[in-house]
Amino acid sequence: MPLQIYRILLIALGAVTLTLLSFAGAISQTDKIMESFENGIPEGLDATGSLTLDNQRMKHGEQSLRWDWRGNDRLTFDTRIGYRKQRLLTEQDTGLEHTDSATGKVYEPPRGFFVWIYNDQPRQQRIRIEFGREDEVDCWFDYNLDFKGWRTIAVNYDRGNMMGVPREDMTRMTINAPNTGSGIFFFDVLGLSIPMNARTIGPNPQLPHIDPHARLVTQYEHNLLPASQLTPTYPIEALDAQTIADFRRLEEQAAPYWLSESEQAKWSESKMEAIEKRYAEFGIVREGDQIFGRPLVKDNVMFEYFVELELSREEAMEGLMSWRYDFGDVLLSIARAWHYTTSAQIKARLEEMFINLFDYGVDQGFDYGAGLGWIHHYSYEIREVAPAMFLMRDPLQRHGRLDKAIEVCKWFHAFNQVYRTDMAYGWEGRKACDADDMQGLLTSRLLCAMMMPDSPEKARDIKHFSSYFSDVATAYANALDETFKPDGTVFHHAGHAYGYGGRGIYGSARTYDILKDTQFEASEDSRKRIAKVAQTYYDGLFTEERMTSKAFASIRFSNYKSADSFKSMLEMVGESYEPLDGFRMLPYTCVGLKRQKNDWMITARAHSKYVYPFESWGKSFFAFPLFIANGYLDVSYPDSLDSLSPSMGKAIWYDGIDWCRWPGATTVRLPYDQLATRVGQVRDEGGEYLFSDQAFSGGVETSYGCGIQVFQFKGHDKYGLESFTGKKSWFFVGNKVVCLGSDIRSDIAEYPVETTLFQCSLTAKDDPITVNGEEIVQFPHEQLLKAEKPQWIIDNRGTGYYVPNGDVYLNRIEQTNPDPQHQGEVSGDFVSAWFDHGNAPKGAEYEYVLIADASEAEMKAFAEEPTIEILQHDSTAHVVALNEEDATAYAVYSEHGASFDKGAVSAVDKQSTFIVKEEGNQLRLSVADPDLNIYDGQEDLLPDGTRTELSIYEREWFFWPSRPNLVRITLKGDWQIAELTQPMETAEHQPKVIAAENGFTVIEFECRDGLSAEVLLNRS
């Protein structure tokens, strides 16, 4: 690695923590990116006191700058600072190939100052760091010195974290020593002006004045300081024998998660060689009470702060030790080996290595109070540390390190937040647990208390943890907050996320399992919530590979595959899994799920005012998600996950997909340059999250497997689609989905509107489909099925489509379309069918029935005698008779409800979804209001009536609760509630009869969170 590195100014955009996109922009002079003193003391750097180079303490390369100071000494560095205000980047600069510079403005990250500092002893003093022009000071900040060892200094220039006003022509940095006393500082990895993402800087004991970013996401990384200031509220109580016995039981239940019997059986002394080799890489040396070693860093400090060096991750970390892959991993390996070995000699050596590593880590800055700058995602980085400390609590106690280990672990895991069950992440009344926190920190937070010596304080802290776990961490989170939602979905990035969520569920289930059968056991409500989200998680996994279909895909749009370790999550909370045989409505992700155990699974995907349709990022991500949530309807089979995914996850997409023809979706056939996502930036946030302004999206589920899903849609102004509107409904019964669309309109004259029935890759050109009983293998082939009579089709995956009216276009062709990242064109053979609603339709509609796992005999029989009847199909309501179940299903779109002449229902007073099933002299009534009803109005509406794009994490309703909606249904006849077969879980009041007179009965449902309630009614 070069000893001193210069640059022509390069700019970098940090997109949350998912990607870094770099680009070049020339300026008239060069600046240093990083000064690591490898070429000596640079020109212009001087100090009163003594300046030397040191080759024992360093954070990069082989040496650092040592400053022996006395009171009022000053260190000055006369050089161009390189600060500049944030600049708007051009499309070429950003490297975001899908960004439209006219509509998606992207700014470079704000500049910041960074340096590693080593303090030889803690002192209740501070240094002041100033920036200016010669003796003129423009901006400055103070830095507390209450620590020993390495720390980072990371401060933005112009985000309110410095006093004064920075200038672009600053040419001097000054570090003012404390006024009194003397000491030694070491400095390394100096960046006078580096890209510093303001979203991820938070306060710490050295820089307590830093304000976290205004984003409302949990920001668990930046609550360490405020959390550490919380104190216990439970009283100290004397220990009794049962409590001590419970301590031991907790330890017994925790140990197997990190100590494997199979691994212990394979343990041999020969494994010590590998452990010794990895330990030696740290280069740890003791000299008296001093300890030295190779630099230990969290990786991203190097390859994100110093991205302008244009180094690979491996190059940036050359000669450095990583928090996780070195420090945490070796600590846990030593701890496990210590438990596995029976050799006293080996135990002693492992103990010595562990204590040395621990002391080295503390000296390197892995210590209480460490503010390590941009430490985002550190739950992934430190998840081995607390288990290692817990397993080695006895050796740590013997060597006088246990109290320090507990202190360090409690700091990094923000343990003290468990002392407040009335707040989460600094907000009173909030109930939430970040998915990363839940998977990486939650169990470790419990271990922080469990490693304490037996004491009343230990019992108090575990009790606090159990209460926090039960009441806050596993509670249902509101709106966009994380992680568990009332419908059983799991949130991260303000949306349903299987990968993050699966890990979060596992973390919570593991924690519950450790606490069970003791006085510290989590609440029954907590157990039920964990079980519900685990059940929902499994419901969406299909095939032997346990994967999700594209209906659940987000960010990278790969099909998520569940980890083998997640198979037993329900068993961990005392439940077992039976594959879903029925319908689930998931309103917090706008996905309907109809499944017949492991035979097939139907999924429908939409979006709403409260559920974004997709999360989109830069050029390494998917370019064409615009219409994936506009009614995508697909079927999964044991040997075929969905229409668009190659089998068993061999690739993410088939080559040649037409990105305007998502199965089931209604779309405008935009040119690809207009269709490609336009990733911009809003208040430091990258990514694209285009919520609708329509709240009516969701549906009702029943105890007998039927369901309704509705989707009232309107395109987003960002893509010029504000005139593109319509209503889509799905009615699920047996293996059938009745698909209705109405009021479809668009004012876009240039491009047609289509509703796709299917788009399937052909495994061979002669892969057959069936049309009205005739097998078609011709290729290429195009056909128009006229609306003169009902038509039926079975595609090459075995899914049937019955079309009672409407022209259907069918083709079997080679398609050439952009690849998923819009980097070039790819081709593939496909068969597709669709309705063409024409250019600028005004009130177009469609109707068809999808039949999963269809046979020719079944399709022919259904075509001759359909078991469904469409009773109403207009702007007011979509109503379908599901004759197979003696049920009638209602999707009422009119805000003021509707009246009905036929059937048991006379009227409903508002938009809603409900199904009435006749069971002899009884009625079974299932009801849901899909509107989550979180806020009034439209937050992104500008005074001119257009909609703008807002920051995903600064929406003021981010953790507001869903408010109740009252739905009143009037039935013909006199009825009374005989049984509440499905309560409305989050409602304060359950369904009730509010009027019964003149031959009519009015039943009121308090609806909330888009959930369903069901009652069984008897005639009075």
mmCIF file of all heavy atoms in Angstrom, residues 470-497:
data_model
loop_
_atom_site.group_PDB
_atom_site.id
_atom_site.type_symbol
_atom_site.label_atom_id
_atom_site.label_comp_id
_atom_site.label_asym_id
_atom_site.label_seq_id
_atom_site.Cartn_x
_atom_site.Cartn_y
_atom_site.Cartn_z
ATOM 1 N N SER A 470 -40.396 -8.459 26.348
ATOM 2 C CA SER A 470 -41.822 -8.780 26.220
ATOM 3 C C SER A 470 -42.650 -7.595 25.762
ATOM 4 O O SER A 470 -43.560 -7.747 24.935
ATOM 5 C CB SER A 470 -42.367 -9.269 27.567
ATOM 6 O OG SER A 470 -41.735 -10.456 27.984
ATOM 7 N N ASP A 471 -42.331 -6.407 26.284
ATOM 8 C CA ASP A 471 -43.215 -5.257 26.106
ATOM 9 C C ASP A 471 -42.810 -4.335 24.963
ATOM 10 O O ASP A 471 -43.631 -3.570 24.464
ATOM 11 C CB ASP A 471 -43.270 -4.431 27.397
ATOM 12 C CG ASP A 471 -43.827 -5.221 28.563
ATOM 13 O OD1 ASP A 471 -44.565 -6.190 28.325
ATOM 14 O OD2 ASP A 471 -43.513 -4.877 29.721
ATOM 15 N N VAL A 472 -41.548 -4.358 24.566
ATOM 16 C CA VAL A 472 -41.065 -3.409 23.569
ATOM 17 C C VAL A 472 -40.499 -4.118 22.345
ATOM 18 O O VAL A 472 -40.943 -3.913 21.218
ATOM 19 C CB VAL A 472 -39.996 -2.467 24.179
ATOM 20 C CG1 VAL A 472 -39.484 -1.497 23.124
ATOM 21 C CG2 VAL A 472 -40.563 -1.711 25.366
ATOM 22 N N ALA A 473 -39.494 -4.981 22.569
ATOM 23 C CA ALA A 473 -38.771 -5.570 21.444
ATOM 24 C C ALA A 473 -39.652 -6.453 20.579
ATOM 25 O O ALA A 473 -39.537 -6.451 19.344
ATOM 26 C CB ALA A 473 -37.569 -6.358 21.952
ATOM 27 N N THR A 474 -40.534 -7.229 21.184
ATOM 28 C CA THR A 474 -41.381 -8.139 20.410
ATOM 29 C C THR A 474 -42.800 -7.607 20.243
ATOM 30 O O THR A 474 -43.679 -8.326 19.792
ATOM 31 C CB THR A 474 -41.441 -9.527 21.076
ATOM 32 O OG1 THR A 474 -41.989 -9.390 22.388
ATOM 33 C CG2 THR A 474 -40.062 -10.147 21.154
ATOM 34 N N ALA A 475 -43.030 -6.345 20.607
ATOM 35 C CA ALA A 475 -44.355 -5.752 20.424
ATOM 36 C C ALA A 475 -44.589 -5.475 18.938
ATOM 37 O O ALA A 475 -43.645 -5.413 18.142
ATOM 38 C CB ALA A 475 -44.461 -4.460 21.221
ATOM 39 N N TYR A 476 -45.842 -5.310 18.562
ATOM 40 C CA TYR A 476 -46.151 -4.937 17.193
ATOM 41 C C TYR A 476 -45.711 -3.490 16.960
ATOM 42 O O TYR A 476 -46.103 -2.580 17.685
ATOM 43 C CB TYR A 476 -47.639 -5.065 16.912
ATOM 44 C CG TYR A 476 -48.143 -6.491 16.834
ATOM 45 C CD1 TYR A 476 -49.404 -6.827 17.315
ATOM 46 C CD2 TYR A 476 -47.366 -7.492 16.270
ATOM 47 C CE1 TYR A 476 -49.877 -8.129 17.241
ATOM 48 C CE2 TYR A 476 -47.826 -8.795 16.193
ATOM 49 C CZ TYR A 476 -49.086 -9.118 16.688
ATOM 50 O OH TYR A 476 -49.535 -10.408 16.609
ATOM 51 N N ALA A 477 -44.901 -3.285 15.946
ATOM 52 C CA ALA A 477 -44.413 -1.950 15.605
ATOM 53 C C ALA A 477 -45.416 -1.273 14.676
ATOM 54 O O ALA A 477 -46.020 -1.905 13.815
ATOM 55 C CB ALA A 477 -43.048 -2.049 14.934
ATOM 56 N N ASN A 478 -45.565 0.027 14.839
ATOM 57 C CA ASN A 478 -46.540 0.778 14.054
ATOM 58 C C ASN A 478 -45.971 1.216 12.711
ATOM 59 O O ASN A 478 -44.764 1.337 12.534
ATOM 60 C CB ASN A 478 -46.985 2.023 14.824
ATOM 61 C CG ASN A 478 -47.770 1.682 16.074
ATOM 62 O OD1 ASN A 478 -48.570 0.751 16.071
ATOM 63 N ND2 ASN A 478 -47.555 2.437 17.137
ATOM 64 N N ALA A 479 -46.856 1.479 11.790
ATOM 65 C CA ALA A 479 -46.561 2.126 10.510
ATOM 66 C C ALA A 479 -45.341 1.514 9.830
ATOM 67 O O ALA A 479 -45.340 0.339 9.487
ATOM 68 C CB ALA A 479 -46.409 3.637 10.723
ATOM 69 N N LEU A 480 -44.263 2.289 9.665
ATOM 70 C CA LEU A 480 -43.075 1.826 8.952
ATOM 71 C C LEU A 480 -42.004 1.296 9.884
ATOM 72 O O LEU A 480 -40.923 0.896 9.440
ATOM 73 C CB LEU A 480 -42.488 2.983 8.130
ATOM 74 C CG LEU A 480 -43.423 3.629 7.118
ATOM 75 C CD1 LEU A 480 -42.726 4.793 6.412
ATOM 76 C CD2 LEU A 480 -43.914 2.623 6.095
ATOM 77 N N ASP A 481 -42.286 1.271 11.173
ATOM 78 C CA ASP A 481 -41.288 0.900 12.172
ATOM 79 C C ASP A 481 -41.025 -0.600 12.149
ATOM 80 O O ASP A 481 -41.749 -1.373 11.522
ATOM 81 C CB ASP A 481 -41.773 1.338 13.560
ATOM 82 C CG ASP A 481 -40.638 1.849 14.431
ATOM 83 O OD1 ASP A 481 -39.466 1.685 14.054
ATOM 84 O OD2 ASP A 481 -40.928 2.421 15.501
ATOM 85 N N GLU A 482 -39.992 -1.028 12.897
ATOM 86 C CA GLU A 482 -39.547 -2.419 12.879
ATOM 87 C C GLU A 482 -39.785 -3.097 14.224
ATOM 88 O O GLU A 482 -39.834 -2.437 15.245
ATOM 89 C CB GLU A 482 -38.046 -2.466 12.555
ATOM 90 C CG GLU A 482 -37.705 -1.786 11.235
ATOM 91 C CD GLU A 482 -36.224 -1.852 10.912
ATOM 92 O OE1 GLU A 482 -35.528 -2.783 11.364
ATOM 93 O OE2 GLU A 482 -35.759 -0.967 10.196
ATOM 94 N N THR A 483 -39.877 -4.436 14.293
ATOM 95 C CA THR A 483 -39.743 -5.391 13.211
ATOM 96 C C THR A 483 -41.065 -6.141 13.017
ATOM 97 O O THR A 483 -41.479 -6.410 11.902
ATOM 98 C CB THR A 483 -38.620 -6.411 13.549
ATOM 99 O OG1 THR A 483 -37.369 -5.737 13.595
ATOM 100 C CG2 THR A 483 -38.522 -7.502 12.500
ATOM 101 N N PHE A 484 -41.740 -6.526 14.116
ATOM 102 C CA PHE A 484 -42.940 -7.351 14.009
ATOM 103 C C PHE A 484 -44.161 -6.484 13.719
ATOM 104 O O PHE A 484 -44.401 -5.474 14.390
ATOM 105 C CB PHE A 484 -43.185 -8.113 15.311
ATOM 106 C CG PHE A 484 -42.124 -9.132 15.652
ATOM 107 C CD1 PHE A 484 -42.073 -9.683 16.929
ATOM 108 C CD2 PHE A 484 -41.196 -9.538 14.715
ATOM 109 C CE1 PHE A 484 -41.112 -10.629 17.252
ATOM 110 C CE2 PHE A 484 -40.230 -10.487 15.036
ATOM 111 C CZ PHE A 484 -40.188 -11.025 16.305
ATOM 112 N N LYS A 485 -44.967 -6.914 12.744
ATOM 113 C CA LYS A 485 -46.178 -6.179 12.391
ATOM 114 C C LYS A 485 -47.412 -6.993 12.770
ATOM 115 O O LYS A 485 -47.352 -8.222 12.891
ATOM 116 C CB LYS A 485 -46.214 -5.887 10.887
ATOM 117 C CG LYS A 485 -44.933 -5.309 10.329
ATOM 118 C CD LYS A 485 -44.469 -4.063 11.047
ATOM 119 C CE LYS A 485 -45.232 -2.844 10.686
ATOM 120 N NZ LYS A 485 -44.615 -1.611 11.246
ATOM 121 N N PRO A 486 -48.546 -6.332 12.943
ATOM 122 C CA PRO A 486 -49.756 -7.039 13.383
ATOM 123 C C PRO A 486 -50.212 -8.158 12.453
ATOM 124 O O PRO A 486 -50.893 -9.083 12.892
ATOM 125 C CB PRO A 486 -50.805 -5.919 13.452
ATOM 126 C CG PRO A 486 -50.011 -4.676 13.691
ATOM 127 C CD PRO A 486 -48.743 -4.867 12.921
ATOM 128 N N ASP A 487 -49.848 -8.081 11.160
ATOM 129 C CA ASP A 487 -50.271 -9.132 10.227
ATOM 130 C C ASP A 487 -49.281 -10.291 10.182
ATOM 131 O O ASP A 487 -49.482 -11.246 9.436
ATOM 132 C CB ASP A 487 -50.475 -8.560 8.826
ATOM 133 C CG ASP A 487 -49.211 -7.949 8.232
ATOM 134 O OD1 ASP A 487 -48.194 -7.868 8.958
ATOM 135 O OD2 ASP A 487 -49.237 -7.545 7.057
ATOM 136 N N GLY A 488 -48.201 -10.205 10.954
ATOM 137 C CA GLY A 488 -47.218 -11.285 10.979
ATOM 138 C C GLY A 488 -46.023 -11.065 10.076
ATOM 139 O O GLY A 488 -45.100 -11.886 10.062
ATOM 140 N N THR A 489 -46.015 -9.983 9.314
ATOM 141 C CA THR A 489 -44.858 -9.682 8.490
ATOM 142 C C THR A 489 -43.746 -9.077 9.347
ATOM 143 O O THR A 489 -43.948 -8.742 10.513
ATOM 144 C CB THR A 489 -45.218 -8.731 7.338
ATOM 145 O OG1 THR A 489 -45.845 -7.560 7.879
ATOM 146 C CG2 THR A 489 -46.155 -9.404 6.366
ATOM 147 N N VAL A 490 -42.568 -8.965 8.752
ATOM 148 C CA VAL A 490 -41.401 -8.455 9.471
ATOM 149 C C VAL A 490 -40.782 -7.337 8.639
ATOM 150 O O VAL A 490 -40.575 -7.491 7.440
ATOM 151 C CB VAL A 490 -40.374 -9.575 9.730
ATOM 152 C CG1 VAL A 490 -40.774 -10.396 10.938
ATOM 153 C CG2 VAL A 490 -40.213 -10.491 8.519
ATOM 154 N N PHE A 491 -40.478 -6.208 9.294
ATOM 155 C CA PHE A 491 -40.053 -5.008 8.584
ATOM 156 C C PHE A 491 -38.575 -4.701 8.802
ATOM 157 O O PHE A 491 -38.027 -4.883 9.890
ATOM 158 C CB PHE A 491 -40.868 -3.799 9.068
ATOM 159 C CG PHE A 491 -42.033 -3.458 8.184
ATOM 160 C CD1 PHE A 491 -42.837 -4.450 7.664
ATOM 161 C CD2 PHE A 491 -42.342 -2.140 7.885
ATOM 162 C CE1 PHE A 491 -43.927 -4.142 6.856
ATOM 163 C CE2 PHE A 491 -43.416 -1.806 7.090
ATOM 164 C CZ PHE A 491 -44.216 -2.805 6.571
ATOM 165 N N HIS A 492 -37.964 -4.195 7.740
ATOM 166 C CA HIS A 492 -36.666 -3.543 7.773
ATOM 167 C C HIS A 492 -36.621 -2.636 6.556
ATOM 168 O O HIS A 492 -37.272 -2.921 5.546
ATOM 169 C CB HIS A 492 -35.537 -4.576 7.731
ATOM 170 C CG HIS A 492 -34.188 -4.024 8.090
ATOM 171 N ND1 HIS A 492 -33.969 -3.290 9.231
ATOM 172 C CD2 HIS A 492 -32.981 -4.096 7.462
ATOM 173 C CE1 HIS A 492 -32.689 -2.953 9.294
ATOM 174 N NE2 HIS A 492 -32.076 -3.418 8.227
ATOM 175 N N HIS A 493 -35.923 -1.537 6.639
ATOM 176 C CA HIS A 493 -35.934 -0.536 5.566
ATOM 177 C C HIS A 493 -37.354 -0.034 5.320
ATOM 178 O O HIS A 493 -37.721 0.271 4.196
ATOM 179 C CB HIS A 493 -35.351 -1.080 4.267
ATOM 180 C CG HIS A 493 -33.908 -1.424 4.340
ATOM 181 N ND1 HIS A 493 -33.163 -1.794 3.242
ATOM 182 C CD2 HIS A 493 -33.042 -1.471 5.387
ATOM 183 C CE1 HIS A 493 -31.930 -2.054 3.612
ATOM 184 N NE2 HIS A 493 -31.835 -1.872 4.909
ATOM 185 N N ALA A 494 -38.153 0.015 6.363
ATOM 186 C CA ALA A 494 -39.517 0.545 6.293
ATOM 187 C C ALA A 494 -40.448 -0.295 5.424
ATOM 188 O O ALA A 494 -41.473 0.189 4.947
ATOM 189 C CB ALA A 494 -39.524 1.992 5.813
ATOM 190 N N GLY A 495 -40.098 -1.564 5.227
ATOM 191 C CA GLY A 495 -40.956 -2.440 4.442
ATOM 192 C C GLY A 495 -40.707 -3.892 4.784
ATOM 193 O O GLY A 495 -39.773 -4.231 5.524
ATOM 194 N N HIS A 496 -41.543 -4.758 4.248
ATOM 195 C CA HIS A 496 -41.427 -6.187 4.504
ATOM 196 C C HIS A 496 -40.132 -6.709 3.913
ATOM 197 O O HIS A 496 -39.848 -6.499 2.728
ATOM 198 C CB HIS A 496 -42.623 -6.912 3.881
ATOM 199 C CG HIS A 496 -42.683 -8.361 4.224
ATOM 200 N ND1 HIS A 496 -43.200 -9.310 3.377
ATOM 201 C CD2 HIS A 496 -42.287 -9.042 5.320
ATOM 202 C CE1 HIS A 496 -43.132 -10.503 3.932
ATOM 203 N NE2 HIS A 496 -42.576 -10.363 5.116
ATOM 204 N N ALA A 497 -39.324 -7.383 4.716
ATOM 205 C CA ALA A 497 -38.014 -7.829 4.262
ATOM 206 C C ALA A 497 -37.742 -9.223 4.816
ATOM 207 O O ALA A 497 -37.491 -9.383 6.005
ATOM 208 C CB ALA A 497 -36.931 -6.856 4.727
#
